[in-house]
C-alpha cells in the first residue's frame, strides 16, 4: 500500500511539474505566431537601423579622436564587431535559451518524480519488497501519509492555503513569462546604438535580465516540485520549499539577474534619447 501511494503521489506531482513545463512551452510557442514574428522582425530591423547609424557615428567619433591622437582603430573595430554580433543574435538567442530552460525543467521534474512509471514496475517493486521480508515484525509498520503531523483541522487548512498560494503564484509567473521575454527583445533593440560605440553596460544588464528570466523559469517549477515531493514525508520542510520558489526572482535580482523590465526600459529610453541627441549633433556638424 505504501508503494502504491508513493507511486500515485509521484505521478500527481510529476503531472504538476509537466503542466508547468507545458505552460513554459506556451511562452515559446508565442514566438511562432505570425503577428509575434512580425513584431520581432520589426524590432530586429530597428536594431539593424540603429546599428547602421551607430557605425556611422562611431566612425565620426574615431576620426575626431584620431585627430587629437587618442583614437584606437583596434578598439573601434572590436566595438563594431561586438555590435554586429549583438544585433544578429538579440532576437533569436533569448527564445532558444528560454526554450532550453523550459525543456530541461520538464525533463528534470519528470526524472525526480518518476513520471511515466507504469503500474507493472510498481508491482515488481512490491514483489521485491515482499521477498526482502524475513519476519512478521518487518510488516508491522503501516504507511504514514503525513497524517501524524495533521493533528488538527487548523493545521490542515493552513497546509492547503500555503500549498495553494505557492502553486498559484508560480502559475501566474509562468503565464506572463513569454510576454516579458517579448518585451525584453523589443527593448533590447534600443541598445544597438550604444554597443558599437563602446557603451555596453546597458546591454550587459539586458543580457543578465534574459539569463535571470530563463534561470527563474527553470528554478521556480523545479523547487516547487521538490517541495511537493518533500511534503510527502516532511510536511513543514516541503511547505518551506514551495514558498521559497516564489523568492527566486528576488534572490536572482540581488545577484544582478533582475527579471523585471522597469529598470531595463528606463535605461533603454535614456539610450534612445542619447541616440537622438548624438544624431542631431552629427547632422549639425556635417552641415
Amino acid at each position: 500500500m505504501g508503494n502504491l501511494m508513493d507511486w500515485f503521489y509521484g505521478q500527481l506531482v510529476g503531472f504538476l511539474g509537466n503542466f508547468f513545463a507545458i505552460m513554459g512551452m506556451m511562452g515559446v510557442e508565442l514566438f511562432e505566431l505570425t503577428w509575434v514574428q512580425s513584431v520581432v522582425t520589426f524590432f530586429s530591423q530597428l536594431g539593424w537601423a540603429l546599428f547602421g547609424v551607430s557605425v556611422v557615428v562611431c566612425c565620426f567619433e574615431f576620426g575626431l579622436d584620431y585627430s587629437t591622437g587618442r583614437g584606437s582603430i583596434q578598439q573601434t573595430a572590436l566595438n563594431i564587431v561586438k555590435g554586429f554580433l549583438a544585433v544578429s543574435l538579440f532576437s533569436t538567442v533569448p527564445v532558444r535559451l528560454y526554450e532550453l530552460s523550459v525543456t530541461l525543467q520538464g525533463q528534470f521534474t519528470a526524472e525526480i518524480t518518476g513520471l511515466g512509471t507504469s503500474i507493472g514496475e510498481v508491482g515488481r517493486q512490491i514483489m521485491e519488497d515482499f521477498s526482502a521480508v524475513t519476519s512478521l515484525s518487518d510488516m508491522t509498520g503501516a504507511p504514514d501519509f503525513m497524517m501524524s503531523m495533521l493533528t488538527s483541522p487548523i493545521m490542515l487548512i493552513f497546509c492547503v492555503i500555503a500549498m495553494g498560494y505557492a502553486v498559484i503564484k508560480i502559475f501566474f509567473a509562468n503565464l506572463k513569462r513569454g510576454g516579458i521575454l517579448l518585451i525584453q527583445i523589443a527593448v533590447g533593440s534600443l541598445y544597438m546604438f550604444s554597443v558599437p560605440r563602446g557603451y555596453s553596460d546597458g546591454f550587459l544588464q539586458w543580457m543578465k535580465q534574459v539569463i535571470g528570466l530563463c534561470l527563474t523559469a527553470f528554478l521556480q517549477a523545479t523547487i516547487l516540485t521538490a517541495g511537493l515531493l518533500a511534503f510527502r514525508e516532511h510536511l513543514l520542510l516541503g511547505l518551506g520549499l514551495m514558498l521559497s520558489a516564489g523568492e527566486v526572482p528576488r534572490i536572482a535580482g540581488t545577484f544582478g539577474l533582475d527579471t523585471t523590465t522597469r529598470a531595463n526600459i528606463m535605461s533603454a529610453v535614456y539610450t534612445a534619447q542619447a541616440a537622438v541627441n548624438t544624431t542631431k549633433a552629427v547632422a549639425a556638424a556635417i552641415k
Side-chain angles (χ1 to χ4, degrees), residues 73-96:
I73 188 172
Q74 180 180 3
Q75 187 62 38
T76 302
L78 182 61
N79 290 333
I80 293 176
V81 171
K82 290 180 180 178
F84 177 77
L85 292 177
V87 75
S88 301
L89 300 176
F90 84 97
S91 60
T92 57
V93 171
V95 181
R96 296 294 174 261

Side-chain angles (χ1 to χ4, degrees), residues 128-145:
E128 291 177 1
D129 293 340
F130 278 148
S131 63
V133 173
T134 57
S135 64
L136 292 178
S137 60
D138 295 337
M139 302 179 62
T140 55
D144 180 18
F145 194 68

